[in-house]
Amino acid sequence: MSRAQRLLHLIQLLRQHRRPVSGATLAVELGVSLRTLYRDIDSLKAQGAPIDGEAGVGFVLRPGFMLPPLMFSHEEIEALVLGSRWVSERADGPLGAAAATLLAKIGAVLPEDLKRSIEASGLLIGPGAPIAAGDAELPTIRAAIRAERKLRIDYADEQGRATERLIWPVALAFFDRVRVVVAWCELRDAYRHFRCDRIAALEPTPERFPRRRAALFKEWRMRQGVPEQ
């Protein structure tokens, strides 16, 4: 592994850890001495990487640091192509268009060999079952999740019984045939899962969540036993 590749790998390792990670752990993962690891950390800092910490305490990469797209590997490019094609086929219209735009922007700044990897990728998304109704509301739901604002919905359960709910949407799950909103339901005073095709009406409200969405999402994961991705 060249030094440039090692520095890139080190950045990727730091991005995987949300809390400070020891130099010894990083050195083992990179297969280098602790002394070399400290030199690499200093080199990255000199190049502008916002790494906090020190020897004996641990290191953490502050959020917001971006790597140039030209640093992507062929496997990472394939993952981007496959993911973008899936979103284009399976998500709502605005999100699908954004996926196509994203891929075009990345391709515009890639070296020629990697750009050809995008254009000639043999990874395809096969045809799936028709998507259930309700996708027209997905942009509104996604906006509420980002803004941490409550939604008022008219919802019908599996037996067709209708209720009005005030929910705090924290996540949106994309399955092959349906879309599901993960939310705290004020009516049930608990987390509930709402199929988008059963939402008869939806109204955004100016009310903010009483707690941060990240905390709610983490709590939901713990209660459901959903591992972090």
Side-chain angles (χ1 to χ4, degrees):
M1 181 187 299
S2 68
R3 185 166 184 271
Q5 290 175 317
R6 190 174 72 242
L7 292 178
L8 174 61
H9 191 191
L10 175 55
I11 285 288
Q12 301 289 21
L13 288 175
L14 287 168
R15 289 171 71 92
Q16 294 171 16
H17 294 275
R18 298 181 180 180
R19 298 179 179 176
V21 56
S22 70
T25 298
L26 293 170
V28 169
E29 294 193 50
L30 285 171
V32 299
S33 68
L34 193 56
R35 183 177 179 181
T36 298
L37 183 279
Y38 289 150
R39 285 204 304 265
D40 288 349
I41 291 284
D42 288 339
S43 294
L44 288 174
K45 286 183 176 180
Q47 295 174 32
I51 300 173
D52 292 333
E54 58 186 67
V57 176
F59 301 93
V60 64
L61 181 68
R62 293 200 306 272
F65 181 68
M66 302 296 293
L67 289 174
L70 58 85
M71 300 293 280
F72 290 158
S73 68
H74 285 281
E75 287 75 18
E76 289 167 339
I77 292 296
E78 287 189 331
L80 283 169
V81 170
L82 186 61
S84 295
R85 288 177 176 173
W86 191 96
V87 172
S88 295
E89 293 291 331
R90 300 286 192 269
D92 57 271
L95 202 58
T101 300
L102 171 65
L103 205 58
K105 286 181 177 179
I106 291 174
V109 297
L110 286 174
E112 285 301 319
D113 60 331
L114 292 181
K115 187 180 298 185
R116 287 194 294 272
S117 295
I118 289 181
E119 297 169 350
S121 175
L123 304 182
L124 305 174
I125 301 297
I131 297 173
D135 274 15
E137 304 291 359
L138 295 188
T140 302
I141 295 171
R142 290 192 287 105
I145 291 173
R146 289 194 302 269
E148 299 186 354
R149 296 190 183 278
K150 301 179 185 181
L151 290 173
R152 193 177 307 279
I153 64 173
D154 292 335
Y155 190 74
D157 64 16
E158 193 173 356
Q159 285 72 43
R161 295 185 295 259
T163 55
E164 183 179 297
R165 312 286 186 101
L166 189 62
I167 64 172
W168 316 344
V170 299
L172 185 59
F174 288 76
F175 295 91
D176 283 341
R177 297 189 61 183
V178 299
R179 311 293 177 250
V180 176
V181 183
V182 176
W184 178 267
C185 176
E186 293 192 1
L187 179 65
R188 304 302 185 203
D189 196 29
Y191 289 103
R192 288 291 186 265
H193 305 131
F194 300 95
R195 285 180 47 157
C196 291
D197 57 324
R198 293 178 183 164
I199 297 177
L202 179 152
E203 178 187 358
T205 78
E207 298 180 66
R208 296 187 63 86
F209 300 170
R211 297 166 56 196
R212 296 305 303 270
R213 189 192 72 86
L216 293 167
F217 191 38
K218 182 177 181 180
E219 183 178 73
W220 170 80
R221 280 183 178 277
M222 292 177 61
R223 294 188 183 186
Q224 296 293 318
V226 178
E228 293 189 8
Q229 298 179 345

